[in-house]
């Protein structure tokens, strides 16, 4: 019995080490995290606007009212990868005419306002999810996460992590094409 107890720390360390190595595997795709929302209606939520911004809040009703795909981006001012992907999302909204909505996740309103004033605000609507409840309803695992929501509020696609780099942008643009948000011949 003493030998079993003495070897327990080694066994525990081996298990944690295996999980650590699995997490560092470069072939592991974090976007492979399944989402039960795909092909389902967007969850029920109603978020107030971010205080200090002249942008309306966001709710499920806004997604149900759309007749074309929209992009819903979950972001926060404290999120470094969110800053990295901001230029890509801005280009999709401003240069390519995509409708971009935001969910400001667990953020202080004054920080979100400052961040958007510094980087520019490409969002047509932004809901303030100060408590993180809407993030739970959407099933996010962290920020940033970006969804493509089709006509009638159906969730078509989920991208986990920042949409940056040629591969990520190409993958996201392919999903936009599949959703009918980009013409089939649009470049990647």
């Amino acid at each position: 019995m003493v030998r079993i107890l003495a070897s327990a720390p080694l066994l525990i360390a081996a298990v944690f080490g295996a999980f650590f190595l699995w997490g560092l595997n470069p072939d592991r795709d974090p976007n492979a995290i399944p989402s039960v929302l795909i092909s389902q209606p967007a969850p029920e939520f109603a978020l107030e606007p971010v205080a200090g911004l002249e942008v309306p809040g966001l709710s499920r009703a806004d997604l149900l009212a759309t007749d074309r795909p929209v992009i819903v981006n979950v972001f926060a001012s404290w999120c470094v990868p969110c800053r990295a992907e901001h230029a890509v999302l801005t280009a999709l909204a401003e240069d390519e005419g995509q409708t971009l909505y935001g969910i400001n996740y667990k953020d202080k309103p004054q920080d979100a306002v400052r961040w958007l004033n510094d980087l520019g605000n490409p969002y047509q609507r932004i809901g303030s999810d100060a408590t993180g409840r809407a993030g739970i309803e959407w099933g996010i695992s962290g920020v940033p996460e970006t969804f493509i929501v089709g006509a009638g509020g159906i969730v078509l696609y989920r991208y986990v992590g920042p949409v940056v780099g040629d591969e990520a942008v190409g993958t996201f643009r392919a999903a936009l094409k599949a959703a009918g948000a980009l013409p089939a011949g649009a470049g990647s």
Side-chain angles (χ1 to χ4, degrees):
M1 183 66 169
V2 173
R3 278 190 190 176
I4 294 173
L5 290 176
S7 63
L10 184 59
L11 180 62
I12 291 170
V15 169
F16 278 109
F19 277 117
F20 179 73
L21 290 175
W22 173 77
L24 292 177
N25 181 353
D27 296 328
R28 188 176 70 81
D29 181 8
N31 284 316
I33 298 170
S35 174
V36 297
L37 290 179
I38 303 302
S39 299
Q40 300 296 317
E44 188 63 50
F45 73 104
L47 300 172
E48 296 294 320
V50 175
L53 284 179
E54 298 296 321
V55 178
L58 181 64
S59 70
R60 181 174 188 252
D62 299 316
L63 300 176
L64 294 174
T66 186
D67 60 348
R68 62 182 284 241
V70 298
I71 301 169
V72 178
N73 175 247
V74 184
F75 73 97
S77 66
W78 46 263
C79 165
V80 174
C82 297
R83 179 176 284 271
E85 79 172 357
H86 192 77
V88 173
L89 297 174
T90 298
L92 286 169
E94 294 178 357
D95 299 341
E96 299 187 31
Q98 297 300 312
T99 301
L100 179 61
Y101 295 155
I103 296 176
N104 185 233
Y105 183 72
K106 292 187 174 182
D107 210 351
K108 294 177 183 172
Q110 65 272 20
D111 293 342
V113 169
R114 186 178 323 108
W115 192 76
L116 290 167
N117 285 339
D118 289 347
L119 298 178
N121 183 2
Y123 300 98
Q124 292 181 16
R125 294 181 161 276
I126 302 174
S128 176
D129 186 18
T131 65
R133 182 68 198 167
I136 292 169
E137 295 298 325
W138 280 86
I140 69 164
S141 58
V143 290
E145 286 197 21
T146 308
F147 297 84
I148 299 172
V149 180
I154 303 298
V155 178
L156 302 175
Y157 183 75
R158 173 187 183 203
Y159 192 89
V160 177
V163 182
V164 292
D166 293 339
E167 185 177 337
V169 172
T171 299
F172 194 76
R173 288 181 61 80
L176 282 170
K177 287 178 193 173
L182 289 176
S188 46

